[in-house]
Amino acid sequence: MAYDPNNIFAKILRGEIPCQKIDEDDHTLSFADIHPQAPVHILVIPKGAYVDWADFAANASAEEIHAFTKAISRVAELSGISETGYRVISNIGANSHQEVPHLHMHVLGGAPVGPLVMTMA
Ligand code: 5GP
């Protein structure tokens, strides 16, 4: 899938729409999810134009991958959920119901977050 520069996270990165920022560095931005699914629900995104994890793994620089990996645990520390535990999820494509076509990690915690996935029928 080609990257759509008009997706909502691209607009957040350009400052065209606001976000509740948690953390930022040269390669990443982290902000609160607008519809939280847990007491703490943060989205960590790369600043580069990557559709999803597969695109990022194939095309991002080592520096971008390093920064992204570090940002995920850093926001957990900043949010106070490191000790109690949290879940990191990335949806990729149709079967996962990825809504926003810009790579993002969901960082969820602050309370037990339930089973990993819907069980198969
Ligand atoms: P996905 O289904 O693509 O993995 O998750 C997209 C996430 O982005 C959803 O959890 C949704 O609540 C969040 N989201 C969608 N639009 C906005 C927005 O404008 N601002 C913020 N902060 N989060 C958003």
Side-chain angles (χ1 to χ4, degrees):
M1 186 203 296
Y3 184 80
D4 172 9
N6 287 318
N7 77 75
I8 199 87
F9 294 168
K11 290 180 179 176
I12 287 175
L13 282 168
R14 290 195 295 267
E16 294 168 9
I17 63 168
C19 70
Q20 187 188 327
K21 186 162 80 174
I22 309 287
D23 179 68
E24 182 172 14
D25 66 13
D26 286 351
H27 296 293
T28 70
L29 178 68
S30 301
F31 50 92
D33 195 292
I34 203 165
H35 296 303
Q37 305 295 311
V40 174
H41 186 172
I42 299 166
L43 300 170
V44 181
I45 70 172
K47 290 185 174 176
Y50 301 103
V51 174
D52 58 20
W53 184 254
D55 185 16
F56 189 66
N59 299 308
S61 68
E63 199 178 336
E64 290 175 297
I65 293 170
H66 180 82
F68 193 62
T69 305
K70 294 280 228 185
I72 293 164
S73 55
R74 190 169 62 243
V75 299
E77 282 284 342
L78 288 171
S79 313
I81 59 173
S82 291
E83 294 296 319
T84 47
Y86 56 97
R87 181 170 294 153
V88 179
I89 299 172
S90 190
N91 292 319
I92 301 165
N95 273 359
S96 74
H97 304 292
Q98 180 182 2
E99 285 174 21
V100 180
H102 182 113
L103 171 62
H104 49 283
M105 289 292 180
H106 298 258
V107 178
L108 298 141
V113 290
L116 182 58
V117 291
M118 260 184 343
T119 50
M120 291 170 67

